[in-house]
Amino acid sequence: MDSVRDQKADALALDILHLARNTLMVRFRFLDRGLGQLDFLRTDRVLFGTDGRHILYDPWHILNVYREESDAVTHDLLHSLLHLVYRHPFVGTDIDRELWGLCCDIAVEQTLLDLGLHTAKEAAQFEILTLLTKELGTLTAERIYHFLSTQTFGPAEFERWQTAFAADQHGPWFGMDEDAAADANMDLEIIWQDISRRMQTELENFSENGNILAQQLRTLNRPRQSLTAFLRRFGRAGEIMHISEEEFDLNYYTYGLFLYGNIPMVEPLEYREDRLIRDFVIAIDTSGSVRGEVVQSFVQYAYDILSQRDSFFSRTNLHIIQCDDRIREDVKITCPEDFEAYISNMIILGLGETDFRPVFRRVEDLLAAGEFSDLRGLLYFTDGKGAFPAQKPSFETALVLHTNGFEEPPVPLWAMKMTITEDEILEHKYD
């Protein structure tokens, strides 16, 4: 290759990239911090992409894209930036990289269309976005990935989807580019988490809360709650057989062994006090607005908690109630083995309208019949879209609201609540 020709191409490509960055900064003020974080770095290994520190580019690729569609470079630059803002590159190593990349591209392209950045691919994208929105409602990379991983794609169809949404290459996410090796002291995920949160704040200050970008950032950056800790609010003090490391002094123990010949001066305490759950009710909203796989994932998590020896007493009085607009099932669980059998044979019943009041009446009836000696409360897993009792019940109530992350339904003031997105449930990100 002619080095002079390459130098001219690189200079022209850099001019185009700087023009694209300036265009975005003028049009979208909230992007300045993110765009300022990325330097442009020429490379022969990537046509266009980002490693979290740079925008990596091949000059000839930039020139070809610009010649075909002058606004496409601006579009592609924001495409790569949004991957970082949405923290798409920071995923586990066991993920299907090709499928994950497609899902990230779909989520980003929907945002770009909402922001008014149109390309020649828009018609092909619209067909697929309409299909996914009808199936999933809110589109996030995690939700799309979970859905598409259950579908069968032929190579031609998968390639058609990739062609419709691809704007950059994702190899640098996984350390492909050696020319841009990470600084060992640089935690990119924390940096982009901070940029993402600052961007959310600026969008809220600009009163731009209604667009997809603002909604996605609100969901992505919302405070996380621990469902395990939330459940422990319903526990009461109880002793479990377990060495109490807090109260056991190893010095006295080893000194006794030394002084008296294998006779310790103090034995380790074989119990400790903790907050445990014995009498409890879990209600599951099985109305038509609730997806079955979300319910099953949550119930599996409840089983995981129940199976932990430091969460429940060895014998438990737990009722699991399925309800849509009426009680569909009430199963009594007395031990982890009962719960395991329940999960193995679980069938979701209902799928009708939503009414929470029958569950509250059922629990009041169980209390009146002496079913519970020390009821700690009711945990209701629901999307919150239904009728609640007008009056506060005689027992504590906690609502685990699973949402699309964009909206949260109003709930009674007398109920504790924890919000968790469907993505977190399906990906088992509870704590």
Side-chain angles (χ1 to χ4, degrees):
M1 294 290 290
D2 184 353
S3 59
V4 174
R5 185 166 177 264
D6 285 348
Q7 290 175 5
K8 290 182 177 179
D10 190 26
L12 185 55
L14 266 177
D15 287 343
I16 293 172
L17 287 170
H18 283 117
L19 175 62
R21 181 165 62 185
N22 292 338
T23 300
L24 290 173
M25 284 186 172
V26 170
R27 184 171 177 181
F28 305 110
R29 294 174 291 173
F30 51 84
L31 296 177
D32 59 348
R33 190 178 298 272
L35 289 168
Q37 181 68 29
L38 298 170
D39 295 325
F40 297 119
L41 179 64
R42 173 180 176 168
T43 178
D44 296 328
R45 300 184 180 181
V46 178
L47 294 179
F48 190 78
T50 181
D51 61 0
R53 297 165 300 280
H54 311 91
I55 290 294
L56 307 169
Y57 70 95
D58 177 280
W60 294 105
H61 171 76
I62 297 297
L63 296 179
N64 289 333
V65 170
Y66 188 79
R67 182 175 62 247
E68 292 177 7
E69 190 178 353
S70 59
D71 292 336
V73 176
T74 302
H75 166 279
D76 293 354
L77 178 58
L78 184 51
H79 178 107
S80 287
L81 175 64
L82 287 182
H83 280 315
L84 294 167
V85 171
Y86 287 164
R87 308 207 279 281
H88 289 160
F90 310 111
V91 293
T93 56
D94 58 343
I95 201 163
D96 182 332
R97 294 182 179 184
E98 192 171 31
L99 179 60
W100 174 246
L102 171 62
C103 297
C104 293
D105 285 338
I106 292 172
V108 164
E109 286 297 301
Q110 185 197 40
T111 302
L112 293 177
L113 286 173
D114 187 62
L115 290 173
L117 274 74
H118 304 281
T119 67
K121 299 178 180 180
E122 184 175 342
Q125 292 177 352
F126 182 77
E127 173 194 349
I128 297 171
L129 288 173
T130 301
L131 172 67
L132 290 174
T133 301
K134 182 178 179 180
E135 184 69 32
L136 302 175
T138 304
L139 299 184
T140 63
E142 292 79 7
R143 179 172 294 190
I144 300 168
Y145 181 84
H146 183 82
F147 173 70
L148 293 185
S149 62
T150 65
Q151 308 300 306
T152 301
F153 271 98
E157 183 70 2
F158 192 84
E159 184 178 356
R160 183 174 75 87
W161 283 42
Q162 283 185 316
T163 302
F165 291 95
D168 59 358
Q169 294 174 293
H170 305 149
W173 297 1
F174 307 102
M176 184 189 76
D177 192 84
E178 298 175 359
D179 293 337
D183 186 327
N185 299 319
M186 192 175 193
D187 192 331
L188 286 175
E189 185 171 5
I190 293 177
I191 290 173
W192 284 102
Q193 183 181 69
D194 179 65
I195 291 173
S196 177
R197 288 173 175 168
R198 289 174 181 268
M199 187 178 296
Q200 177 192 348
T201 301
E202 292 181 24
L203 282 168
E204 291 171 348
N205 290 338
F206 295 155
S207 299
E208 297 184 28
N209 290 320
N211 61 33
I212 290 177
L213 175 60
Q215 294 171 336
Q216 293 272 17
L217 292 179
R218 193 179 307 118
T219 300
L220 183 65
N221 298 322
R222 69 180 183 80
R224 297 293 194 271
Q225 293 176 276
S226 166
L227 186 52
T228 304
F230 190 71
L231 279 172
R232 288 188 181 278
R233 298 184 187 185
F234 292 93
R236 69 173 178 82
E239 291 180 353
I240 57 176
M241 296 296 294
H242 189 81
I243 292 177
S244 176
E245 296 180 359
E246 294 84 2
E247 300 180 52
F248 173 56
D249 192 325
L250 183 61
N251 291 326
Y252 281 111
Y253 183 81
T254 54
Y255 181 67
L257 294 178
F258 169 77
L259 187 63
Y260 300 110
N262 295 330
I263 301 177
M265 292 181 64
V266 58
E267 290 282 1
L269 295 173
E270 293 184 347
Y271 64 88
R272 62 183 171 86
E273 192 174 81
D274 209 338
R275 296 191 66 81
L276 308 178
I277 298 171
R278 174 171 284 154
D279 289 356
F280 198 57
V281 177
I282 295 178
I284 303 169
D285 179 357
T286 57
S287 61
S289 61
V290 179
R291 295 168 60 198
E293 59 182 335
V294 175
V295 170
Q296 290 176 326
S297 182
F298 174 79
V299 174
Q300 178 64 53
Y301 176 75
Y303 165 72
D304 294 339
I305 295 298
L306 177 59
S307 301
Q308 296 175 9
R309 59 180 297 180
D310 59 349
S311 294
F312 282 76
F313 286 96
S314 58
R315 302 300 294 178
T316 298
N317 184 15
L318 168 67
H319 281 251
I320 301 180
I321 300 175
Q322 292 193 41
C323 179
D324 48 10
D325 57 351
R326 68 195 70 177
I327 302 296
R328 298 293 183 176
E329 183 180 63
D330 183 351
V331 176
K332 183 174 180 177
I333 304 293
T334 61
C335 61
E337 291 74 21
D338 287 350
F339 209 157
E340 185 174 359
Y342 176 78
I343 287 181
S344 299
N345 301 287
M346 181 182 179
I347 299 175
I348 297 176
L349 307 172
L351 305 180
E353 300 298 322
T354 309
D355 191 338
F356 304 122
R357 292 169 295 186
V359 168
F360 288 88
R361 287 196 295 267
R362 171 61 64 88
V363 177
E364 294 285 8
D365 291 343
L366 291 172
L367 276 170
E371 172 65 16
F372 301 111
S373 60
D374 184 24
L375 179 63
R376 305 309 297 170
L378 163 67
L379 180 73
Y380 213 133
F381 180 71
T382 176
D383 60 4
K385 300 174 183 177
F388 287 94
Q391 301 297 324
K392 182 181 183 301
S394 62
F395 46 85
E396 293 293 338
T397 302
L399 304 175
V400 176
L401 299 172
H402 62 88
T403 73
N404 58 16
F406 288 3
E407 57 185 354
E408 188 172 308
V411 299
L413 295 177
W414 43 258
M416 294 181 287
K417 69 175 181 178
M418 172 184 175
T419 302
I420 185 169
T421 68
E422 291 189 2
D423 293 341
E424 291 167 338
I425 295 169
L426 296 173
E427 297 297 321
H428 309 291
K429 299 176 180 178
Y430 303 101
D431 295 319

